[in-house]
Amino acid sequence: MSTGKDNPPQLTPEEYFVWESQQLEKYEYIDGQVHGITGSSVNHGRIAVRLITLFVNHLEGSGCDTGNSDLRVNICGTNNYTHPDISVTCDDRDKTTTQYITYPCLIVEVLSAGTEAFDRGSKFRMYRKNPALIDYLLVSSTGIQIDLYHKDEAGNWLIISYQEGDTIALKSINLSFPIEQVYRGLNLTPEA
């Protein structure tokens, strides 16, 4: 996340929705401030598309919906809005809103050098306030590495680190898949 290039004024949530719809890029809205979303790599885009396709195919007919980075997520109990790379909601309350969802059970962020610290730190602290969130998946775009933050039945967050040869298990949507399915054919080199 970075500050918007034109330093937009502090906005209300309603003003943010209108303002962002007039922009060429996406912006997140945190504590009344608008922040531009940094660009992504080819690997970032390909990984996101593969995961979205996997989730959509798995969830067909389930009543759950998968969103890409165009879909805003309202941080539960706040007026903050983010654009995660992928979100899945199975909550009927999200079927009545048109500007955002509030109750995703799964959020995925594909990491880049510019966003990794925020995605692991402040953003996760915001996301975990959501009682519906079960899985928060952080996916490397430069190596075969995926970290899963999973909320267990007692409400504790566990971190599971996956690497080459592992099978990812997302209890939020009852899906398991080999990690290689995400990375096949990608040129995994560190970002410049």
Side-chain angles (χ1 to χ4, degrees):
M1 179 173 89
S2 65
T3 304
K5 295 176 190 151
D6 299 326
N7 293 324
Q10 190 156 353
L11 304 170
T12 66
E14 295 75 20
E15 292 168 336
Y16 157 68
F17 296 146
V18 172
W19 180 85
E20 188 186 35
S21 72
Q22 299 166 351
Q23 306 306 307
L24 296 176
E25 300 170 355
K26 291 186 283 276
Y27 291 80
E28 295 187 326
Y29 181 82
I30 308 294
D31 297 329
Q33 295 294 316
V34 177
H35 303 274
I37 298 174
T38 57
S40 59
S41 66
V42 170
N43 280 354
H44 184 285
R46 289 180 177 157
I47 289 167
V49 166
R50 288 175 183 176
L51 287 169
I52 289 168
T53 302
L54 181 67
F55 298 164
V56 167
N57 289 336
H58 172 71
L59 294 169
E60 187 172 344
S62 70
C64 297
D65 293 312
T66 303
N68 65 11
S69 62
D70 290 335
L71 182 62
R72 288 184 201 96
V73 170
N74 170 236
I75 304 302
C76 208
T78 74
N79 285 323
N80 294 334
Y81 299 86
T82 63
H83 284 276
D85 291 308
I86 305 165
S87 57
V88 176
T89 181
C90 302
D91 196 300
D92 287 339
R93 292 172 288 184
D94 285 331
K95 295 185 187 321
T96 63
T97 57
T98 59
Q99 297 285 336
Y100 55 86
I101 63 168
T102 304
Y103 303 101
C105 59
L106 169 63
I107 292 177
V108 180
E109 295 286 3
V110 180
L111 302 174
S112 64
T115 65
E116 183 169 359
F118 180 64
D119 290 341
R120 288 185 184 281
S122 297
K123 202 173 221 186
F124 178 55
R125 279 192 292 282
M126 287 189 293
Y127 284 151
R128 70 181 180 208
K129 294 176 184 177
N130 187 329
L133 186 65
I134 297 169
D135 289 325
Y136 181 51
L137 201 63
L138 298 175
V139 183
S140 172
S141 60
T142 59
I144 302 177
Q145 301 167 325
I146 295 178
D147 289 335
L148 172 62
Y149 292 72
H150 172 75
K151 184 169 60 176
D152 67 15
E153 291 180 12
N156 300 311
W157 286 95
L158 310 172
I159 302 172
I160 305 163
S161 295
Y162 295 102
Q163 57 191 348
E164 194 169 352
D166 290 340
T167 298
I168 312 298
L170 299 176
K171 293 183 180 177
S172 56
I173 59 172
N174 195 27
L175 173 66
S176 296
F177 57 94
I179 196 170
E180 285 80 10
Q181 191 167 350
V182 175
Y183 293 102
R184 70 183 180 281
L186 296 182
N187 179 11
L188 298 173
T189 56
E191 295 175 355

